[in-house]
Amino acid sequence: MNFLLNQPITDPVLIFAITMLIFLIAPIIMAKLKVTGIIGLIVAGLIIGPNGIGLLERDSTVLLLSTVGLHFIFFIAGLEIDLDGFKKYRNRSLTFGALSFLIPFVFGTAATLLIGYELMAAILIGSIIGSHTLLAYPIASRLGVSKNRAVTTTISGTIITDTTAFLVLAIVAGAAHGVINAEFWIKMIVSLVIFVAAVFLIIPRVSKFFFRTLGSEGNLEFTYVISVLFITAYGATLAGIEAIIGAFLAGLALNRFIAEQGTLMNRIKFVGNAIFIPFFLLSVGMLVDLRVILTDPDTWIMAGIVVVFVILGKLLAAIITGKIYGYSKAEKILMFGLSVPQAAATLAATMVGYELGLLGESVVNAMIIKILITCLIGPSLVEKYSKVLALLEDQKPYEPKQAPERVMIPVANPNTLASLLDLGFIVRGQSKEPLYALSVAQSGENYQEILAKAEKVLQDAVSYGAGAEVPVQTLTRVDRNIATGMIRAMEESRITTAVIGWNGKLSTPQRIFGSVLDQLLERSTQTILVTKIEYPINTMKRLVVIVPAGYTHKVGFYKAMEIIKTFASELGMSIRYLIVKDDVELYKEAYAKTGTSLNISFEKLEDWEQFYERLPKFHKDDLLVSLSTRKGTLGWDPQLEQLPRELSNTASESFIILYSPEEVNVDSRGTKGIEAPKKVLNPRAYHS
């Protein structure tokens, strides 16, 4: 351990190893604390930096990588702006964007002038708190309200707030390098106009030619995009403005060429979020001096100003805009929750002001306090009121099943093959599609041996299907990751439903089922039935269906209901619905629309404890079916993660966890470290 005595560490390999370890551990710890990972990296920089234990210096290497990360932040911000949404909601977006910037800007500038800051510094601080970061948008997306008028207004208004903030930053930065006079303004405006015109005239044309003729190779596409980023950033400095403004404009110019869900965007975000942006956040943390925060009253005065006026300004902007356009109370609060977070882009602008000498350490420390507070407020409000709006929307209309079922069954254990195939036959219903039996081998030295053994099980599946006059098509895949191989097979064969067996064992207490199944659920949108069948299903007499609150509003509600009805009709079972903390009449109305003649009864449970009290009373001829949802989506409840292990430990050992399908391209970001509210909301209370 002698290397720890020689601080700060200078060995480049060890420096990189330490930083990568921090990038791995810090977000995990923050997720456990339900705090955004940004804070964790800043705190880590504080601890290991020169103002902490002195393990690392903020040297040229750290500064280089953090500078690249700073540019990535602004570049990705330009790429993610919804230009089409802005055009569609132009008037309301202009209204909200202008108010959301001007109100905090005026308040912040005036307050900082009153406490003695110079004009340029006060204007810069005002512009920083006038902008915002769409940190919580992925939460609204995965809860199905991304098309809500309040969300689209806020997202489109971001173009106004952030572009205006970046323009103010460019002007302030230019003023910091010279005297403000008529010549300065003429030079600034002319150079800015020429540079912006060049960016939006040249980059789109060159990019169109590149992607059409040269962009077939993935690595080449990525290299081209990064080249455009940094050439444009350097060009901005030649035009007399900050390089990060050039990075933002490069993102806007390439916006239409890089699909949000495409491979290229994924590579850009991966490189930025995995390496460069964490270096930027780490370097910011190295500037923080905890002793100054605790002893310097200026830090807390500034923190109070920026926090109060960010919250007040964004709230007033949401209320005024909502009043003008007739938005409900829930929509107004959702707009506020989306626009209040101040994160990486805000911090980046602060760092520019710090490097220019306009802002001191007290302002940097105050901005970090503001980031912590706003990043706690925003996501929690968006999580809560997105669910409110989702439940206020009309219940999903009944749509009879149109597309044929394509059912896949991953097979590995010959002992459970028959029960899985029987379930698959039922779910398949009257579809003329074959049943797909899949075997996935993990790539390695013995994968051929594994596949050889699997082929015997697959042939048994074909024989079993022939006996039921059901064609079985076999699939084999080799992949480094079992879950990836399963997902690839589902996509290639256009599978709609997967029936998967589970042995009831957990690898770690944090997982729901285990590594493979958890990954499959997280990365798929199809219907998934996770089954643990200990007894022949034709010996069971009753289906007991456990339903969480809000399930009737899910896209896959009627698909799940059809599967339940098919099980009951095929096996001659009665159905007993246990509905936890929800309106029973919604389920009665849904079944009434289908005209079913099945023996169905409904019971409302006031809480999950009431269900667990009843759990030991179920019999072995009861087949328990839990209608579950992916984590963070509408209808999800923390108890759904515990339910599989609770069911596995009871005397009634046969059950199915049914995950209904989600909409394509559900955005699962934002689930880490942000738990759903424990209490069920009354959506009608917020509809005003």
Side-chain angles (χ1 to χ4, degrees), residues 150-414:
V151 177
T152 54
T153 298
T154 308
I155 302 305
S156 302
T158 301
I159 296 180
I160 303 300
T161 58
D162 287 2
T163 302
T164 305
F166 295 159
L167 182 61
V168 171
L169 175 62
I171 294 172
V172 170
H177 295 300
V179 180
I180 301 180
N181 51 31
E183 181 182 352
F184 164 79
W185 286 109
I186 293 172
K187 183 178 178 181
M188 168 69 73
I189 293 172
V190 170
S191 61
L192 188 60
V193 169
I194 293 174
F195 176 70
V196 172
V199 167
F200 288 104
L201 289 175
I202 296 174
I203 291 179
R205 286 170 170 77
V206 174
S207 298
K208 185 177 181 179
F209 169 79
F210 174 83
F211 286 113
R212 283 186 174 181
T213 60
L214 304 172
S216 58
E217 177 62 40
N219 293 338
L220 196 61
E221 288 183 346
F222 180 79
T223 304
Y224 168 76
V225 168
I226 301 304
S227 299
V228 170
L229 161 60
F230 287 100
I231 290 172
T232 308
Y234 180 70
T237 63
L238 298 179
I241 57 178
E242 283 298 307
I244 56 173
I245 307 299
F248 176 70
L249 294 177
L252 287 177
L254 289 170
N255 186 288
R256 295 189 179 279
F257 295 95
I258 303 176
E260 174 64 27
Q261 303 296 333
T263 303
L264 183 55
M265 177 68 92
N266 184 61
R267 287 173 176 160
I268 294 168
K269 289 183 176 180
F270 175 80
V271 172
N273 293 330
I275 300 176
F276 295 118
I277 294 176
F279 263 107
F280 167 71
L281 298 172
L282 195 71
S283 72
V284 171
M286 291 180 176
L287 289 174
V288 179
D289 191 338
L290 193 59
R291 290 164 294 188
V292 173
I293 293 179
L294 296 176
T295 59
D296 184 11
D298 291 341
T299 296
W300 290 103
I301 293 172
M302 179 54 64
I305 289 173
V306 295
V307 169
V308 168
F309 288 129
V310 162
I311 294 174
L312 179 62
K314 300 298 181 180
L315 182 60
L316 285 175
I319 292 173
I320 294 171
T321 304
K323 192 73 173 177
I324 293 173
Y325 294 101
Y327 289 0
S328 68
K329 176 184 176 182
E331 288 174 321
K332 295 172 187 174
I333 299 176
L334 182 59
M335 291 173 66
F336 168 67
L338 285 168
S339 60
V340 75
Q342 307 272 300
T346 302
L347 189 57
T350 303
M351 291 306 301
V352 172
Y354 178 80
E355 298 294 340
L356 291 171
L358 293 172
L359 307 179
E361 287 187 5
S362 61
V363 177
V364 175
N365 293 328
M367 292 298 179
I368 291 171
I369 295 172
K370 177 193 66 171
I371 288 171
L372 175 60
I373 295 173
T374 58
C375 288
L376 289 173
I377 294 173
S380 61
L381 288 176
V382 173
E383 181 89 37
K384 179 177 180 179
Y385 287 93
S386 290
K387 290 187 175 183
V388 170
L389 291 177
L391 294 173
L392 284 172
E393 292 178 358
D394 292 336
Q395 185 179 345
K396 301 295 181 183
Y398 173 66
E399 297 177 358
K401 186 168 55 180
Q402 300 290 337
E405 281 288 348
R406 283 196 172 187
V407 180
M408 184 188 78
I409 298 177
V411 297
N413 186 355

Side-chain angles (χ1 to χ4, degrees), residues 1-10 14 53-55:
M1 303 293 287
N2 290 334
F3 67 86
L4 292 177
L5 300 177
N6 301 320
Q7 296 179 1
I9 294 171
T10 57
L14 187 56
I53 63 175
L55 192 62

Side-chain angles (χ1 to χ4, degrees), residues 334-533:
L334 182 59
M335 291 173 66
F336 168 67
L338 285 168
S339 60
V340 75
Q342 307 272 300
T346 302
L347 189 57
T350 303
M351 291 306 301
V352 172
Y354 178 80
E355 298 294 340
L356 291 171
L358 293 172
L359 307 179
E361 287 187 5
S362 61
V363 177
V364 175
N365 293 328
M367 292 298 179
I368 291 171
I369 295 172
K370 177 193 66 171
I371 288 171
L372 175 60
I373 295 173
T374 58
C375 288
L376 289 173
I377 294 173
S380 61
L381 288 176
V382 173
E383 181 89 37
K384 179 177 180 179
Y385 287 93
S386 290
K387 290 187 175 183
V388 170
L389 291 177
L391 294 173
L392 284 172
E393 292 178 358
D394 292 336
Q395 185 179 345
K396 301 295 181 183
Y398 173 66
E399 297 177 358
K401 186 168 55 180
Q402 300 290 337
E405 281 288 348
R406 283 196 172 187
V407 180
M408 184 188 78
I409 298 177
V411 297
N413 186 355
N415 296 325
T416 59
L417 178 63
S419 62
L420 285 176
L421 287 172
D422 289 339
L423 288 172
F425 296 160
I426 295 173
V427 174
R428 176 178 173 272
Q430 301 300 317
S431 173
K432 295 181 180 180
E433 297 289 325
L435 191 70
Y436 292 81
L438 169 70
S439 180
V440 180
Q442 197 162 15
S443 57
E445 295 181 357
N446 62 338
Y447 80 89
Q448 292 183 343
E449 179 182 346
I450 296 173
L451 282 181
K453 293 180 179 179
E455 286 175 357
K456 174 63 171 64
V457 181
L458 291 174
Q459 288 304 314
D460 291 341
V462 173
S463 300
Y464 193 88
E469 296 186 350
V470 175
V472 175
Q473 181 170 324
T474 61
L475 304 171
T476 57
R477 293 290 184 275
V478 178
D479 204 293
R480 292 184 177 181
N481 182 283
I482 298 295
T484 302
M486 294 171 66
I487 292 169
R488 184 159 57 92
M490 293 172 70
E491 292 174 346
E492 292 172 355
S493 300
R494 294 185 294 140
I495 300 300
T496 59
T497 304
V499 180
I500 304 170
W502 182 49
N503 60 9
K505 297 179 181 179
L506 294 167
S507 55
T508 65
Q510 288 77 29
R511 298 189 183 279
I512 305 175
F513 300 104
S515 177
V516 173
L517 282 177
D518 284 8
Q519 290 180 55
L520 179 65
L521 288 170
E522 183 178 353
R523 297 161 56 187
S524 67
T525 58
Q526 294 93 334
T527 304
I528 304 289
L529 280 74
V530 181
T531 69
K532 185 174 181 290
I533 306 297

Side-chain angles (χ1 to χ4, degrees), residues 622-636:
D622 287 335
L623 177 59
L624 274 64
V625 179
S626 171
L627 301 185
S628 194
T629 68
R630 272 89 168 170
K631 183 174 182 178
T633 61
L634 185 63
W636 181 79

